[in-house]
Amino acid sequence: MLFNFYAMLASFLGTAVEFIEALTIILAVGTVRGWKTSLSGAAAAILILLALVLGIGESLVQVIHIFWVQLIVGLFMLLFGIRWLRKAIMRYSGLKALHNEAESYQEELDRQRKAGKVKSGIDSFGFMTTLSITFLEGMEAIFIVLTLGSSSKAPGSTLMQYTILGALAGIVVVLLTGILLRKPLSTVPENTMKFIVGVMLTSFGAFWVGEAVGVSWPQADLSIIYITITLLLFSWFTVIRVKKLLSTSSKTSQSNMGGM
């Protein structure tokens, strides 16, 4: 039950983050090329993505030995989670600029307006724009769903269903919110969500790699909570440390320039 909730939450947050970025483009296309065009492209991509999850996910669990499921899935989750966590730490500490959805929205508006006259019915340029961005952003969400959902091979496991449910909920919440507001979700703490998902995926990945190589985790499944808390503390201390180093470096530079 713990894994089911953990996987569903990670799937929900991860998918939501990816579709916040896709939503920005969907809104820009809808404003310029028409909402029928924009939503049709997004819907087509979501159907393709859903077919991939349903077609690949269950068969993956059935044909691969549990050792390889744990090892491969664990390694992929570790790599993917560390990448997200690294970016979030860099943005929190000031080494990397925060992603600005409002700027991305304005840039896409300009691009759509320069694309020429809007065609009647479904505009092909707008349709392919929303289809491609939704599909590309959704592929990362699919990775989360498949890796989390394939982490258990126990008979009658519902883990894949939970991850799919979490992903669908993430898509619905983001798209409905954006369409109702008719503006980019620039106020959503996207970096915080990436930070949380990065920690969750890294923790889950570490647990499964350990399981595959024979680590005897204390208190079994509850160990994932301890790993998560440890990663959170380590990541937060890293952010504080980097901020201090950047502040010291900045003061030193200003002092040297003042001395000149």
Side-chain angles (χ1 to χ4, degrees), residues 17 91 109 151 160 189 216 256:
V17 168
R91 283 173 175 157
L109 279 178
S151 299
M160 182 66 76
S216 180
N256 290 337

Side-chain angles (χ1 to χ4, degrees), residues 14-30 35 38-39 41-43 45-46 49 99 101 104-105 108 111-112 126 129-141 170-171 174-175 178-179 183-185 190 194:
T15 303
V17 168
E18 295 299 339
F19 274 85
I20 284 173
E21 297 180 15
L23 173 67
T24 301
I25 308 301
I26 293 169
L27 291 173
V29 173
W35 291 104
S38 179
L39 296 178
I46 290 170
L49 292 167
H99 186 70
E101 291 299 334
S104 299
Y105 176 70
E108 186 60 29
R111 193 176 80 91
Q112 292 296 320
T129 299
T130 55
L131 185 147
S132 60
I133 189 62
T134 305
F135 182 79
L136 288 173
E137 296 293 347
M139 284 303 294
E140 289 202 21
I171 294 171
V174 169
L175 293 184
I179 291 168
K183 64 179 183 180
L185 302 184
E190 182 184 337
K194 281 193 172 185

